[in-house]
Amino acid sequence: MYNLKDMTLEEMEEFFVNIGESRYRAKQIYKWIYDKKITDFDEMTDISKNLRSKLKEIAYISQLKIEARRVSEVDDTVKYLFLLEDNNIIEGVAIRYRFGNTACVSTQVGCNMRCSFCASAIGGKVRDLKASEMVDQVMAIDSDYGKISNIVLMGSGEPFDNYDEVMKFIKIVNNPYGLGIGGRHITISTCGIVPKIYQFADEKLQVNLSISLHAPNDELRTQLMPINKAYPLEELMKACKYYVEKTRRRITFEYSLIEGVNDKKEHAYQLVDLLKGMLCHVNLIPINYVKEIGFKKANNEKVMMFKKIIEDAGISCTVRRELGSDIEAACGQLRRKYLKER
């Protein structure tokens, strides 16, 4: 059975041609799926009964089940657990900003990158998500939380470790006949898979790129993020500069501040040396506490010191406001708790 949500518009056009139907049927079906949110072929009233019958025999339209839903009492953030068709569990987060609602989407069940501060890494990767499973997260959050205008691929998993399905997902949600979410309202976060950064730069998309950096030198970054053994900072920075030159787009560097680990004054100055001259923005993140890991967030005084050093060097910098701390909203936290209880 074909899941129609796994198809870009071009793929769906070919699908209809291959079953002896007109190419324009793809746009009709796209409208039913993404505009009208219909998953039952019998409700698609502008399609002949014969075609509806044919589709029911060979295709279906997926939906995700919301297995659990936790609402923050502090900031209106909502954490979701979604049940997949194979009984795996993934997470999604809805975040309300003044510029619109954001859906934070997972790209894999678990993660293989083994970052030492992330709950998603505990237990490793189970499998990649299909494009449809990413689309379904956005649509489920949109239906439950309210209109989604921004997407960040910062949930569980490494997006560039599932590159082809992520690119397909972007084509579906970006298409005007799909969810119609503009590229500049979509952000992909990677821990630094260098070859894929070059490939992504060559895609010529308007999608934003975010790099999970979290350390300003190789020794410390390798301790926190094993990916640095394969792609050390010199190679990562070369790829980032290529991306900026190729796209003329700013990169955001995510830096989680961990008490006593990467929050010293010397680290801030090293970060300035690493990034100075690049078209970039630094997003400082007070890390969420994960019981199994034990890292604690840096205190506010250290955060402000870090921010000042970066800004004084002429580099744009913000501190991400803490969201969902009372509902275990950090990547992998709620899923981990649910799986232990199950």
Side-chain angles (χ1 to χ4, degrees):
M1 294 281 279
Y2 296 95
N3 181 1
L4 298 187
K5 275 189 183 167
D6 268 326
M7 299 181 188
T8 63
L9 183 60
E10 293 74 20
E11 287 172 337
M12 195 179 289
E13 286 174 341
E14 289 304 309
F15 166 78
F16 277 107
V17 169
N18 290 337
I19 64 170
E21 299 288 341
S22 299
R23 189 176 291 271
Y24 76 87
R25 293 294 188 191
K27 288 180 180 176
Q28 283 183 304
I29 297 293
Y30 249 57
K31 185 171 183 179
W32 282 111
I33 294 173
Y34 298 111
D35 183 27
K36 299 184 183 297
K37 312 294 192 293
I38 296 299
T39 58
D40 185 345
F41 294 120
D42 286 330
E43 294 183 40
M44 299 180 179
T45 53
D46 62 350
I47 295 169
S48 69
K49 285 186 179 179
N50 285 341
L51 178 52
R52 279 182 263 166
S53 296
K54 186 189 290 188
L55 287 173
K56 281 191 279 188
E57 290 176 6
I58 62 173
Y60 72 103
I61 301 165
S62 63
Q63 276 186 303
L64 276 187
K65 179 189 174 188
I66 297 175
E67 182 73 3
R69 182 182 186 276
R70 296 187 65 179
V71 183
S72 172
E73 296 179 3
V74 179
D75 52 41
D76 203 28
T77 299
V78 177
K79 182 70 174 269
Y80 297 91
L81 286 182
F82 297 113
L83 183 66
L84 303 177
E85 290 177 354
D86 62 0
N87 286 323
N88 272 304
I89 290 284
I90 56 170
E91 298 175 333
V93 182
I95 308 163
R96 205 177 305 282
Y97 292 106
R98 56 181 172 76
F99 52 78
N101 297 334
T102 294
C104 181
V105 173
S106 293
T107 55
Q108 296 175 315
V109 182
C111 184
N112 262 350
M113 296 299 108
R114 297 185 292 118
C115 299
S116 62
F117 48 84
C118 181
S120 295
I122 302 170
K125 183 180 85 171
V126 178
R127 69 170 176 85
D128 293 328
L129 292 182
K130 294 179 285 189
S132 59
E133 292 169 321
M134 293 177 241
V135 172
D136 275 333
Q137 291 174 68
V138 178
M139 295 186 73
I141 293 171
D142 184 280
S143 295
D144 182 76
Y145 191 75
K147 179 67 177 173
I148 293 299
S149 53
N150 302 277
I151 298 171
V152 294
L153 283 80
M154 295 182 180
S156 295
E158 162 55 54
F160 283 174
D161 190 38
N162 187 17
Y163 189 87
D164 291 342
E165 289 298 308
V166 165
M167 291 303 111
K168 183 184 283 194
F169 162 77
I170 288 171
K171 287 179 182 177
I172 293 169
V173 298
N174 184 228
N175 194 296
Y177 291 96
L179 294 182
I181 295 175
R184 295 185 183 192
H185 295 271
I186 303 169
T187 300
I188 293 182
S189 177
T190 177
C191 67
I193 300 180
V194 165
K196 295 302 180 184
I197 295 173
Y198 285 106
Q199 188 175 347
F200 184 64
D202 293 337
E203 299 279 358
K204 298 179 181 177
L205 299 171
Q206 293 292 306
V207 174
N208 304 306
L209 178 64
S210 177
I211 304 290
S212 294
L213 191 62
H214 308 304
N217 61 67
D218 279 319
E219 183 181 359
L220 182 54
R221 193 166 193 264
T222 299
Q223 290 174 25
L224 294 174
M225 306 176 71
I227 189 70
N228 200 68
K229 292 178 185 175
Y231 307 112
L233 282 171
E234 184 179 357
E235 288 185 37
L236 178 59
M237 290 302 111
K238 263 187 206 172
C240 289
K241 286 170 184 173
Y242 177 85
Y243 172 86
V244 171
E245 289 168 8
K246 188 79 175 180
T247 67
R248 305 297 178 193
R249 297 187 63 75
R250 183 177 78 168
I251 292 179
T252 294
F253 290 96
E254 307 281 345
Y255 194 103
S256 293
L257 286 161
I258 307 168
E259 182 182 283
V261 177
N262 64 353
D263 62 345
K264 298 180 178 66
K265 192 176 284 190
E266 66 196 69
H267 295 136
Y269 285 116
Q270 288 172 6
L271 184 62
V272 165
D273 289 341
L274 190 68
L275 302 182
K276 201 158 188 183
M278 193 186 303
L279 181 61
C280 69
H281 174 83
V282 174
N283 193 13
L284 299 176
I285 306 165
I287 198 165
N288 280 31
Y289 177 73
V290 177
K291 184 179 178 182
E292 294 94 334
I293 296 170
F295 285 149
K296 296 179 181 178
K297 67 182 179 183
N299 64 44
N300 192 57
E301 185 180 333
K302 285 256 185 91
V303 173
M304 290 301 105
M305 173 272 293
F306 220 92
K307 182 174 186 286
K308 185 176 188 306
I309 290 172
I310 293 167
E311 288 183 328
D312 285 350
I315 299 171
S316 171
C317 181
T318 52
V319 178
R320 181 185 292 175
R321 84 186 153 101
E322 293 183 70
L323 297 166
S325 58
D326 60 325
I327 57 169
E328 298 172 295
C331 294
Q333 277 186 295
L334 188 57
R335 173 179 175 266
R336 177 80 179 158
K337 182 178 179 182
Y338 177 89
L339 292 176
K340 284 176 75 174
E341 290 172 355
R342 189 170 74 170

